[in-house]
């Protein structure tokens, strides 16, 4: 029995100007993240470290945090999310990693309000994860 794949309308995944904090230590990943987030009508702020994310969040409250798990040197994604939750307890997050779900990823997810996305991911999966967590 052949069945058609579900129809997928990517325009349904576009944002409404929500502020998204994208934290990754790799410059190229930040550039790609910024382009994709802008293309999907979000307002991205891209930073290279957990420490800079904390500094930013002392005066700003993003609608969503997207954070890479492995960042060097300095704080990793779990430590960043945990620290930012002290500033903004209800901060929603997407945790990304090139590795499979690790104990640190599970610990980040256990903080609540977060989902995991494994690199490399398709743009559609990235947009769908954002749409899902923002509701």
């Amino acid at each position: 029995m052949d069945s058609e794949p579900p129809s997928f309308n990517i325009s349904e995944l576009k944002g409404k100007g929500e502020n998204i904090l994208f934290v990754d230590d790799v410059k190229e990943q930040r550039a790609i993240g910024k382009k994709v987030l802008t293309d999907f009508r979000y307002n991205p702020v891209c930073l290279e470290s957990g420490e800079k994310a904390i500094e930013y969040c002392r005066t700003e409250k993003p609608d969503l945090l997207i954070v890479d798990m492995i960042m060097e040197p300095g704080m990793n994604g779990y430590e960043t999310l945990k620290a930012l939750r002290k500033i903004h307890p209800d901060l929603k997050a997407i945790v990304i990693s090139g590795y499979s779900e690790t104990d640190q990823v599970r610990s980040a997810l256990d903080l609540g309000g977060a989902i995991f996305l494994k690199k490399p991911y398709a743009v559609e999966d990235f947009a769908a994860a954002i749409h899902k967590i923002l509701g």
Side-chain angles (χ1 to χ4, degrees):
M1 177 173 146
D2 291 335
S3 64
E4 291 288 317
S7 62
F8 188 78
N9 186 351
I10 201 157
S11 67
E12 294 172 4
L13 301 177
K14 297 223 176 195
K16 298 176 183 117
E18 293 94 333
N19 295 315
I20 298 183
L21 177 56
F22 187 92
V23 184
D24 197 306
D25 60 325
V26 178
K27 182 179 180 180
E28 294 79 11
Q29 291 293 326
R30 290 192 308 274
I32 292 167
K34 183 173 186 169
K35 167 130 181 52
V36 171
L37 290 167
T38 302
D39 288 350
F40 275 87
R41 298 187 187 143
Y42 294 106
N43 180 31
V45 172
C46 300
L47 300 173
E48 65 270 15
S49 71
E51 292 82 359
K52 290 204 175 189
I54 291 167
E55 186 178 316
Y56 173 81
C57 285
R58 287 194 174 119
T59 59
E60 302 292 332
K61 183 174 189 248
D63 297 303
L64 175 66
L65 167 69
I66 300 173
V67 63
D68 188 28
M69 271 310 289
I70 309 297
M71 296 188 289
E72 294 179 357
M75 302 173 79
N76 66 27
Y78 169 71
E79 294 163 338
T80 301
L81 177 57
K82 190 173 178 185
L84 291 179
R85 285 283 177 76
K86 290 178 182 172
I87 301 169
H88 301 299
D90 59 344
L91 181 62
K92 296 175 182 175
I94 295 175
V95 175
I96 55 177
S97 178
Y99 299 98
S100 296
E101 194 171 316
T102 63
D103 288 341
Q104 284 256 307
V105 169
R106 283 188 286 283
S107 294
L109 298 177
D110 286 345
L111 294 173
I115 59 176
F116 174 67
L117 192 59
K118 186 176 184 321
K119 292 180 192 177
Y121 44 79
V123 170
E124 294 84 4
D125 294 336
F126 184 62
I130 295 168
H131 185 74
K132 176 181 178 182
I133 199 155
L134 287 177

